[in-house]
Amino acid sequence: MTDANQIDEPDADESLADRVRSHIKGNRTGMIQDLAFAVVWVTIVSVLYDFVFSASPRWVLYMFMLAGIPAYFGFFISLEMARAQ
């Protein structure tokens, strides 16, 4: 999905901090995009549940949150398709 660089296998003498640093360096933009999507999705769902659907049962909130999974993949797949054109 994301444009992650291929990371080499960790060396035996490489510390945990070095491995974490190289993982973050290779996946920085993907991690930021994932975090931004999650924050925006949870904010929108929370606002909808608190104000628009305030009289609905709690499982509606969980269904909205669960709908974030296909929304995430649909958004990023359509973004890749738009970039390809």
Side-chain angles (χ1 to χ4, degrees):
M1 283 268 155
T2 59
D3 298 330
N5 297 332
Q6 183 66 25
I7 306 293
D8 294 334
E9 291 297 321
D11 297 330
D13 59 339
E14 191 176 32
S15 70
L16 177 63
D18 291 334
R19 285 187 279 170
V20 169
R21 193 173 300 116
S22 68
H23 178 75
I24 290 174
K25 184 179 178 183
N27 299 303
R28 179 175 295 143
T29 57
M31 293 171 72
I32 292 171
Q33 290 172 348
D34 293 347
L35 179 64
F37 184 87
V39 168
V40 169
W41 185 263
V42 170
T43 302
I44 290 172
V45 167
S46 297
V47 168
L48 281 174
Y49 182 74
D50 289 341
F51 297 110
V52 178
F53 301 109
S54 58
S56 61
R58 190 79 167 164
W59 61 267
V60 173
L61 172 67
Y62 299 137
M63 288 288 122
F64 276 139
M65 291 292 182
L66 192 61
I69 297 169
Y72 169 83
F73 286 107
F75 176 74
F76 283 107
I77 288 171
S78 67
L79 190 62
E80 279 185 23
M81 290 171 60
R83 285 181 183 164
Q85 291 180 349

Coordinates of all heavy atoms in Angstrom, one line a residue:
M1 N 0.8 -1.2 0.0 CA 0.0 0.0 0.0 C 0.9 1.3 0.0 O 0.7 2.1 -0.8 CB -0.9 0.0 1.3 CG -2.1 -0.8 1.2 SD -3.4 0.2 0.6 CE -4.4 -1.0 -0.1
T2 N 1.8 1.4 1.0 CA 2.6 2.5 1.0 C 3.9 2.4 0.3 O 4.2 1.3 -0.1 CB 2.9 2.9 2.5 OG1 3.6 1.8 3.1 CG2 1.6 3.2 3.3
D3 N 4.6 3.4 0.1 CA 5.8 3.4 -0.6 C 7.0 3.2 0.3 O 7.9 3.9 0.4 CB 6.0 4.7 -1.4 CG 4.9 5.0 -2.4 OD1 4.4 4.0 -2.9 OD2 4.6 6.2 -2.6
A4 N 7.0 2.1 1.0 CA 8.0 1.8 2.0 C 9.3 1.2 1.3 O 9.2 0.5 0.3 CB 7.6 0.7 3.0
N5 N 10.4 1.6 1.7 CA 11.7 1.1 1.2 C 12.0 -0.2 1.8 O 11.6 -0.5 2.9 CB 12.8 2.1 1.5 CG 12.6 3.5 0.9 OD1 12.0 3.6 -0.1 ND2 13.1 4.5 1.5
Q6 N 12.7 -1.0 1.0 CA 13.0 -2.4 1.6 C 14.1 -2.2 2.6 O 15.1 -1.6 2.4 CB 13.5 -3.3 0.4 CG 13.9 -4.7 0.8 CD 12.6 -5.4 1.3 OE1 11.5 -5.1 0.9 NE2 12.9 -6.4 2.1
I7 N 13.9 -2.7 3.8 CA 14.8 -2.7 4.9 C 15.6 -3.9 4.9 O 15.1 -5.0 4.8 CB 14.1 -2.4 6.2 CG1 13.1 -1.2 6.2 CG2 15.1 -2.3 7.4 CD1 13.8 0.1 6.0
D8 N 16.9 -3.8 5.1 CA 17.8 -5.0 5.3 C 17.5 -5.7 6.6 O 17.0 -5.1 7.5 CB 19.3 -4.6 5.2 CG 19.7 -4.0 3.9 OD1 19.0 -4.4 2.9 OD2 20.6 -3.2 3.8
E9 N 17.9 -7.0 6.6 CA 17.7 -7.7 7.9 C 18.6 -7.1 8.9 O 19.7 -6.6 8.6 CB 18.1 -9.2 7.6 CG 17.2 -9.9 6.7 CD 15.8 -10.0 7.4 OE1 15.7 -10.3 8.6 OE2 14.8 -9.9 6.6
P10 N 18.2 -7.1 10.2 CA 19.0 -6.5 11.2 C 20.3 -7.3 11.5 O 20.3 -8.5 11.4 CB 18.1 -6.5 12.5 CG 17.1 -7.6 12.2 CD 16.9 -7.6 10.7
D11 N 21.3 -6.5 11.8 CA 22.6 -7.2 12.1 C 22.6 -7.6 13.5 O 21.8 -7.2 14.4 CB 23.8 -6.2 11.9 CG 23.9 -5.7 10.5 OD1 23.6 -6.5 9.6 OD2 24.4 -4.6 10.3
A12 N 23.4 -8.6 13.9 CA 23.5 -9.1 15.2 C 24.0 -8.0 16.2 O 23.5 -8.0 17.4 CB 24.4 -10.3 15.3
D13 N 24.8 -7.1 15.8 CA 25.3 -6.1 16.7 C 24.5 -4.8 16.7 O 24.9 -3.9 17.3 CB 26.8 -5.8 16.4 CG 27.0 -5.3 14.9 OD1 26.1 -5.6 14.1 OD2 28.1 -4.7 14.7
E14 N 23.4 -4.8 15.9 CA 22.6 -3.6 15.8 C 21.7 -3.5 17.0 O 21.0 -4.5 17.3 CB 21.8 -3.7 14.5 CG 21.1 -2.4 14.1 CD 20.4 -2.5 12.8 OE1 19.9 -3.5 12.4 OE2 20.3 -1.4 12.1
S15 N 21.6 -2.4 17.6 CA 20.8 -2.2 18.8 C 19.3 -2.1 18.4 O 19.0 -1.8 17.2 CB 21.2 -1.0 19.6 OG 20.9 0.2 18.9
L16 N 18.4 -2.2 19.4 CA 17.0 -2.1 19.2 C 16.7 -0.7 18.7 O 15.9 -0.5 17.8 CB 16.2 -2.4 20.4 CG 14.7 -2.2 20.4 CD1 14.1 -3.2 19.4 CD2 14.1 -2.4 21.7
A17 N 17.3 0.3 19.3 CA 17.1 1.7 18.8 C 17.5 1.9 17.4 O 16.8 2.6 16.6 CB 17.9 2.7 19.7
D18 N 18.6 1.3 16.9 CA 19.0 1.4 15.5 C 18.0 0.8 14.6 O 17.7 1.3 13.5 CB 20.4 0.8 15.3 CG 21.5 1.6 16.0 OD1 21.3 2.8 16.2 OD2 22.5 1.0 16.3
R19 N 17.4 -0.4 15.0 CA 16.4 -1.1 14.2 C 15.2 -0.3 14.1 O 14.5 -0.2 13.0 CB 16.2 -2.5 14.8 CG 17.3 -3.4 14.4 CD 16.9 -4.8 14.8 NE 17.2 -4.9 16.3 CZ 16.8 -5.9 17.1 NH1 16.1 -6.9 16.6 NH2 17.1 -5.9 18.3
V20 N 14.7 0.3 15.2 CA 13.5 1.1 15.2 C 13.7 2.4 14.4 O 12.9 2.8 13.6 CB 13.1 1.5 16.7 CG1 12.0 2.6 16.7 CG2 12.7 0.3 17.5
R21 N 14.9 3.0 14.5 CA 15.2 4.2 13.7 C 15.2 3.9 12.2 O 14.7 4.6 11.4 CB 16.6 4.7 14.1 CG 16.9 6.1 13.6 CD 18.2 6.7 14.2 NE 18.2 6.7 15.6 CZ 19.0 6.0 16.5 NH1 19.9 5.2 16.0 NH2 18.9 6.2 17.8
S22 N 15.8 2.7 11.8 CA 15.8 2.4 10.4 C 14.4 2.0 9.9 O 14.0 2.3 8.8 CB 16.8 1.3 10.1 OG 16.3 0.1 10.7
H23 N 13.6 1.4 10.7 CA 12.2 1.1 10.4 C 11.4 2.4 10.1 O 10.7 2.5 9.2 CB 11.5 0.2 11.4 CG 10.1 -0.1 11.1 ND1 9.8 -1.0 10.2 CD2 9.0 0.4 11.6 CE1 8.4 -1.1 10.1 NE2 7.9 -0.2 11.0
I24 N 11.5 3.3 11.1 CA 10.8 4.6 10.9 C 11.3 5.3 9.7 O 10.5 5.9 9.0 CB 11.0 5.4 12.2 CG1 10.2 4.7 13.3 CG2 10.5 6.8 12.0 CD1 10.3 5.4 14.7
K25 N 12.6 5.3 9.5 CA 13.1 6.0 8.3 C 12.6 5.4 7.0 O 12.3 6.2 6.1 CB 14.7 5.9 8.3 CG 15.3 6.7 7.2 CD 16.8 6.5 7.3 CE 17.5 7.3 6.1 NZ 19.0 7.1 6.2
G26 N 12.4 4.1 6.9 CA 11.9 3.5 5.7 C 10.4 3.6 5.5 O 9.9 3.5 4.4
N27 N 9.7 3.9 6.6 CA 8.2 3.9 6.5 C 7.6 5.2 7.0 O 6.4 5.2 7.4 CB 7.7 2.7 7.4 CG 8.1 1.4 6.9 OD1 7.9 1.1 5.7 ND2 8.7 0.6 7.7
R28 N 8.4 6.3 7.0 CA 7.9 7.5 7.6 C 6.6 8.0 7.0 O 5.7 8.3 7.7 CB 9.0 8.6 7.5 CG 8.6 9.9 8.1 CD 9.7 10.9 8.0 NE 10.8 10.4 8.9 CZ 12.1 10.6 8.6 NH1 12.5 11.2 7.5 NH2 13.0 10.1 9.5
T29 N 6.5 8.2 5.7 CA 5.3 8.8 5.1 C 4.1 7.9 5.3 O 3.0 8.4 5.5 CB 5.6 9.1 3.6 OG1 5.9 7.9 2.9 CG2 6.6 10.1 3.4
G30 N 4.3 6.6 5.2 CA 3.2 5.7 5.4 C 2.7 5.7 6.8 O 1.5 5.7 7.0
M31 N 3.6 5.8 7.8 CA 3.1 5.9 9.2 C 2.4 7.2 9.5 O 1.4 7.2 10.2 CB 4.4 5.7 10.1 CG 5.0 4.4 10.0 SD 6.6 4.2 10.9 CE 6.0 4.3 12.6
I32 N 2.9 8.3 8.9 CA 2.2 9.5 9.1 C 0.8 9.5 8.4 O -0.2 10.0 9.0 CB 3.1 10.7 8.6 CG1 4.3 10.8 9.4 CG2 2.3 12.0 8.5 CD1 5.4 11.8 8.9
Q33 N 0.7 9.0 7.2 CA -0.6 8.9 6.6 C -1.6 8.0 7.3 O -2.7 8.4 7.5 CB -0.4 8.3 5.2 CG 0.3 9.3 4.2 CD 0.6 8.6 2.9 OE1 0.5 7.4 2.7 NE2 1.0 9.4 1.9
D34 N -1.1 6.9 7.9 CA -1.9 6.0 8.6 C -2.4 6.7 9.9 O -3.6 6.6 10.3 CB -1.2 4.7 9.0 CG -0.9 3.9 7.8 OD1 -1.4 4.1 6.7 OD2 -0.1 2.9 8.0
L35 N -1.5 7.4 10.6 CA -1.9 8.1 11.8 C -2.9 9.2 11.5 O -3.9 9.4 12.2 CB -0.7 8.6 12.5 CG -0.9 9.4 13.8 CD1 -1.5 8.5 14.9 CD2 0.3 10.1 14.3
A36 N -2.7 10.0 10.5 CA -3.6 11.0 10.1 C -5.0 10.5 9.8 O -6.0 11.1 10.2 CB -3.0 11.8 8.9
F37 N -5.0 9.4 9.0 CA -6.3 8.8 8.6 C -7.0 8.4 9.9 O -8.2 8.6 10.0 CB -6.2 7.7 7.7 CG -7.5 7.1 7.2 CD1 -8.1 7.7 6.1 CD2 -8.1 6.1 7.9 CE1 -9.3 7.1 5.7 CE2 -9.3 5.5 7.5 CZ -9.9 6.1 6.4
A38 N -6.3 7.7 10.8 CA -7.0 7.2 12.0 C -7.5 8.3 12.9 O -8.6 8.2 13.4 CB -6.0 6.3 12.8
V39 N -6.7 9.4 13.0 CA -7.2 10.5 13.9 C -8.4 11.2 13.3 O -9.4 11.5 14.0 CB -6.0 11.5 14.1 CG1 -6.5 12.8 14.6 CG2 -4.9 10.9 14.9
V40 N -8.4 11.4 12.0 CA -9.5 12.0 11.3 C -10.8 11.1 11.4 O -11.9 11.6 11.7 CB -9.2 12.4 9.8 CG1 -10.4 12.8 9.0 CG2 -8.1 13.5 9.8
W41 N -10.6 9.8 11.1 CA -11.7 8.9 11.1 C -12.4 8.8 12.5 O -13.6 8.9 12.7 CB -11.3 7.5 10.7 CG -12.5 6.6 10.6 CD1 -12.9 5.7 11.5 CD2 -13.4 6.5 9.5 NE1 -14.0 5.0 11.1 CE2 -14.3 5.5 9.8 CE3 -13.5 7.2 8.3 CZ2 -15.4 5.2 9.0 CZ3 -14.6 6.8 7.5 CH2 -15.5 5.9 7.8
V42 N -11.5 8.7 13.6 CA -12.1 8.6 14.9 C -12.7 9.9 15.3 O -13.8 9.9 16.0 CB -11.0 8.2 15.9 CG1 -11.4 8.3 17.3 CG2 -10.5 6.8 15.6
T43 N -12.2 11.0 14.9 CA -12.8 12.3 15.2 C -14.2 12.5 14.6 O -15.1 12.9 15.2 CB -11.9 13.5 14.8 OG1 -10.6 13.3 15.4 CG2 -12.5 14.8 15.1
I44 N -14.2 12.1 13.3 CA -15.5 12.2 12.6 C -16.6 11.3 13.2 O -17.7 11.7 13.4 CB -15.3 11.9 11.0 CG1 -14.6 13.1 10.4 CG2 -16.7 11.7 10.3 CD1 -14.1 12.8 9.0
V45 N -16.2 10.1 13.5 CA -17.1 9.1 14.0 C -17.6 9.5 15.4 O -18.8 9.4 15.7 CB -16.5 7.7 14.1 CG1 -17.3 6.7 14.9 CG2 -16.3 7.1 12.6
S46 N -16.7 10.0 16.2 CA -17.0 10.5 17.6 C -18.0 11.7 17.5 O -19.0 11.7 18.3 CB -15.8 10.9 18.3 OG -14.9 9.8 18.5
V47 N -17.8 12.6 16.6 CA -18.7 13.8 16.5 C -20.0 13.3 16.0 O -21.1 13.7 16.5 CB -18.0 14.8 15.5 CG1 -19.1 15.9 15.1 CG2 -16.8 15.5 16.2
L48 N -20.0 12.4 15.0 CA -21.3 11.9 14.5 C -22.1 11.2 15.6 O -23.3 11.4 15.7 CB -21.1 11.0 13.3 CG -20.8 11.6 11.9 CD1 -20.5 10.5 10.9 CD2 -22.0 12.4 11.5
Y49 N -21.4 10.3 16.3 CA -22.1 9.5 17.3 C -22.6 10.4 18.5 O -23.7 10.2 19.0 CB -21.2 8.5 17.9 CG -21.8 7.6 18.9 CD1 -22.8 6.6 18.6 CD2 -21.6 7.7 20.3 CE1 -23.4 5.9 19.5 CE2 -22.2 7.0 21.2 CZ -23.1 6.0 20.8 OH -23.7 5.3 21.8
D50 N -21.8 11.4 18.9 CA -22.2 12.3 20.0 C -23.3 13.3 19.6 O -24.1 13.6 20.5 CB -21.0 13.1 20.5 CG -20.0 12.2 21.2 OD1 -20.4 11.1 21.6 OD2 -18.8 12.6 21.3
F51 N -23.3 13.8 18.4 CA -24.3 14.8 18.1 C -25.4 14.4 17.1 O -26.5 14.7 17.3 CB -23.5 16.0 17.5 CG -22.6 16.6 18.5 CD1 -21.2 16.5 18.3 CD2 -23.1 17.3 19.6 CE1 -20.3 17.1 19.2 CE2 -22.2 17.9 20.5 CZ -20.8 17.7 20.3
V52 N -25.1 13.6 16.1 CA -26.1 13.3 15.1 C -26.9 12.0 15.6 O -28.1 12.0 15.5 CB -25.4 13.0 13.7 CG1 -26.5 12.6 12.7 CG2 -24.7 14.3 13.3
F53 N -26.1 11.0 16.0 CA -26.8 9.8 16.4 C -26.7 9.6 17.9 O -26.4 8.5 18.4 CB -26.1 8.6 15.7 CG -26.1 8.6 14.2 CD1 -24.9 8.9 13.5 CD2 -27.3 8.4 13.6 CE1 -25.0 9.0 12.1 CE2 -27.3 8.5 12.2 CZ -26.2 8.8 11.5
S54 N -27.0 10.6 18.7 CA -26.9 10.6 20.1 C -27.9 9.6 20.8 O -27.6 9.1 21.9 CB -27.0 12.0 20.7 OG -28.3 12.5 20.4
A55 N -29.0 9.3 20.2 CA -30.0 8.5 20.8 C -29.8 7.0 20.4 O -30.6 6.1 20.8 CB -31.4 8.9 20.4
S56 N -28.8 6.7 19.6 CA -28.6 5.3 19.1 C -27.8 4.5 20.1 O -27.1 5.0 21.0 CB -27.9 5.4 17.8 OG -26.6 6.0 17.9
P57 N -27.9 3.2 20.0 CA -27.2 2.3 20.9 C -25.7 2.4 20.7 O -25.2 2.8 19.7 CB -27.8 0.9 20.7 CG -28.4 1.0 19.4 CD -28.8 2.4 19.1
R58 N -25.0 1.8 21.7 CA -23.5 1.9 21.6 C -22.9 1.1 20.5 O -21.8 1.4 20.0 CB -23.0 1.4 23.0 CG -21.5 1.5 23.2 CD -21.2 2.9 23.6 NE -19.9 3.0 24.1 CZ -19.3 4.2 24.2 NH1 -19.9 5.3 24.0 NH2 -18.1 4.2 24.7
W59 N -23.6 0.0 20.0 CA -23.0 -0.8 19.0 C -22.9 0.0 17.6 O -22.2 -0.4 16.8 CB -23.8 -2.1 18.8 CG -25.3 -1.9 18.4 CD1 -26.3 -1.9 19.2 CD2 -25.8 -1.8 17.1 NE1 -27.5 -1.7 18.5 CE2 -27.2 -1.7 17.2 CE3 -25.2 -1.8 15.8 CZ2 -28.0 -1.5 16.1 CZ3 -26.1 -1.6 14.7 CH2 -27.4 -1.5 14.9
V60 N -23.7 1.0 17.5 CA -23.6 1.9 16.3 C -22.3 2.5 16.2 O -21.6 2.6 15.2 CB -24.8 2.9 16.3 CG1 -24.6 3.9 15.1 CG2 -26.1 2.2 16.2
L61 N -21.8 3.0 17.4 CA -20.4 3.6 17.4 C -19.4 2.5 17.0 O -18.5 2.8 16.2 CB -20.1 4.1 18.8 CG -18.7 4.5 19.1 CD1 -18.4 5.8 18.3 CD2 -18.4 4.7 20.6
Y62 N -19.5 1.3 17.5 CA -18.6 0.3 17.1 C -18.6 -0.1 15.6 O -17.6 -0.4 15.0 CB -18.8 -1.0 18.0 CG -18.6 -0.7 19.4 CD1 -19.5 -1.3 20.4 CD2 -17.5 0.0 19.9 CE1 -19.3 -1.0 21.7 CE2 -17.4 0.3 21.3 CZ -18.3 -0.3 22.2 OH -18.1 0.0 23.5
M63 N -19.8 -0.1 15.1 CA -20.0 -0.3 13.6 C -19.3 0.8 12.8 O -18.7 0.5 11.8 CB -21.5 -0.5 13.3 CG -22.1 -1.7 13.7 SD -21.5 -3.1 12.8 CE -20.8 -4.1 14.1
F64 N -19.5 2.0 13.2 CA -18.9 3.2 12.5 C -17.3 3.0 12.6 O -16.6 3.2 11.6 CB -19.2 4.5 13.2 CG -20.5 5.1 12.7 CD1 -21.4 5.7 13.5 CD2 -20.9 5.0 11.3 CE1 -22.6 6.2 13.1 CE2 -22.0 5.6 10.8 CZ -22.9 6.2 11.7
M65 N -16.8 2.6 13.8 CA -15.4 2.4 13.9 C -14.9 1.3 13.0 O -13.9 1.4 12.4 CB -15.0 2.2 15.4 CG -15.2 3.3 16.3 SD -14.0 4.6 15.9 CE -14.4 5.8 17.2
L66 N -15.6 0.2 13.0 CA -15.3 -0.9 12.2 C -15.3 -0.6 10.7 O -14.5 -1.1 9.9 CB -16.2 -2.1 12.5 CG -15.8 -3.5 11.9 CD1 -14.5 -3.9 12.5 CD2 -16.9 -4.5 12.3
A67 N -16.2 0.3 10.3 CA -16.3 0.7 8.9 C -15.1 1.5 8.5 O -14.8 1.7 7.3 CB -17.5 1.6 8.7
G68 N -14.2 1.9 9.4 CA -13.0 2.6 9.1 C -12.0 1.7 8.4 O -11.1 2.2 7.6
I69 N -12.1 0.4 8.6 CA -11.1 -0.5 7.9 C -11.4 -0.6 6.4 O -10.4 -0.3 5.7 CB -11.3 -2.0 8.5 CG1 -10.9 -1.9 10.0 CG2 -10.4 -2.9 7.8 CD1 -11.2 -3.2 10.8
P70 N -12.6 -0.8 5.9 CA -12.7 -0.7 4.4 C -12.6 0.7 3.9 O -12.1 0.9 2.8 CB -14.1 -1.3 4.2 CG -14.8 -1.3 5.5 CD -13.8 -1.3 6.5
A71 N -12.9 1.7 4.7 CA -12.7 3.1 4.3 C -11.3 3.4 4.1 O -10.9 4.1 3.1 CB -13.4 4.0 5.3
Y72 N -10.4 2.9 5.0 CA -9.0 3.1 4.9 C -8.4 2.5 3.6 O -7.8 3.2 2.8 CB -8.3 2.5 6.1 CG -6.8 2.4 6.0 CD1 -6.0 3.5 6.3 CD2 -6.2 1.2 5.5 CE1 -4.6 3.4 6.1 CE2 -4.8 1.2 5.4 CZ -4.0 2.3 5.7 OH -2.7 2.2 5.6
F73 N -8.7 1.2 3.4 CA -8.2 0.6 2.2 C -8.8 1.2 0.9 O -8.1 1.3 -0.1 CB -8.5 -0.9 2.2 CG -7.5 -1.6 3.2 CD1 -8.0 -2.1 4.4 CD2 -6.2 -1.8 2.9 CE1 -7.2 -2.7 5.3 CE2 -5.3 -2.4 3.8 CZ -5.8 -2.9 5.0
G74 N -10.1 1.5 0.9 CA -10.7 2.1 -0.2 C -10.1 3.5 -0.5 O -9.9 3.8 -1.7
F75 N -9.8 4.3 0.5 CA -9.2 5.6 0.3 C -7.8 5.5 -0.3 O -7.5 6.1 -1.3 CB -9.2 6.4 1.6 CG -8.5 7.7 1.5 CD1 -9.1 8.7 0.8 CD2 -7.2 7.9 2.0 CE1 -8.5 10.0 0.7 CE2 -6.6 9.1 1.9 CZ -7.2 10.1 1.2
F76 N -7.0 4.6 0.2 CA -5.6 4.5 -0.2 C -5.5 3.8 -1.6 O -4.6 4.1 -2.4 CB -4.7 3.9 0.8 CG -4.4 5.0 1.9 CD1 -4.9 4.8 3.2 CD2 -3.5 6.0 1.6 CE1 -4.6 5.8 4.1 CE2 -3.2 7.0 2.6 CZ -3.8 6.8 3.9
I77 N -6.4 2.9 -1.8 CA -6.4 2.2 -3.2 C -6.8 3.2 -4.2 O -6.2 3.3 -5.3 CB -7.2 1.0 -3.2 CG1 -6.6 -0.1 -2.4 CG2 -7.5 0.5 -4.6 CD1 -7.4 -1.4 -2.1
S78 N -7.8 4.0 -3.9 CA -8.3 5.0 -4.9 C -7.2 6.1 -5.1 O -7.1 6.6 -6.2 CB -9.6 5.6 -4.5 OG -9.5 6.4 -3.3
L79 N -6.5 6.4 -4.0 CA -5.4 7.4 -4.1 C -4.3 6.9 -5.0 O -3.7 7.6 -5.8 CB -4.9 7.7 -2.7 CG -3.9 8.9 -2.6 CD1 -4.6 10.2 -3.0 CD2 -3.4 9.0 -1.1
E80 N -3.9 5.6 -4.9 CA -2.9 5.0 -5.8 C -3.4 5.0 -7.2 O -2.6 5.2 -8.1 CB -2.6 3.6 -5.3 CG -1.7 3.5 -4.2 CD -1.3 2.0 -3.9 OE1 -1.5 1.2 -4.7 OE2 -0.9 1.8 -2.7
M81 N -4.7 4.7 -7.4 CA -5.2 4.7 -8.8 C -5.2 6.1 -9.4 O -4.8 6.2 -10.6 CB -6.6 4.1 -8.8 CG -6.7 2.6 -8.5 SD -8.3 2.0 -8.3 CE -9.1 2.3 -9.8
A82 N -5.5 7.1 -8.6 CA -5.4 8.5 -9.1 C -4.0 8.9 -9.4 O -3.7 9.6 -10.4 CB -6.0 9.4 -8.1
R83 N -3.0 8.4 -8.6 CA -1.6 8.8 -8.9 C -1.1 8.1 -10.1 O -0.3 8.6 -10.8 CB -0.8 8.4 -7.7 CG -0.9 9.3 -6.5 CD 0.0 8.8 -5.4 NE -0.2 9.7 -4.2 CZ 0.3 9.3 -3.0 NH1 0.9 8.2 -2.8 NH2 0.1 10.1 -2.0
A84 N -1.6 6.9 -10.4 CA -1.2 6.1 -11.5 C -1.6 6.8 -12.9 O -1.0 6.6 -13.9 CB -1.7 4.7 -11.5
Q85 N -2.8 7.5 -12.8 CA -3.3 8.1 -14.1 C -2.6 9.4 -14.3 O -2.1 10.1 -14.5 CB -4.8 8.3 -13.9 CG -5.5 7.0 -13.9 CD -7.0 7.3 -13.8 OE1 -7.5 8.4 -13.6 NE2 -7.8 6.3 -14.0

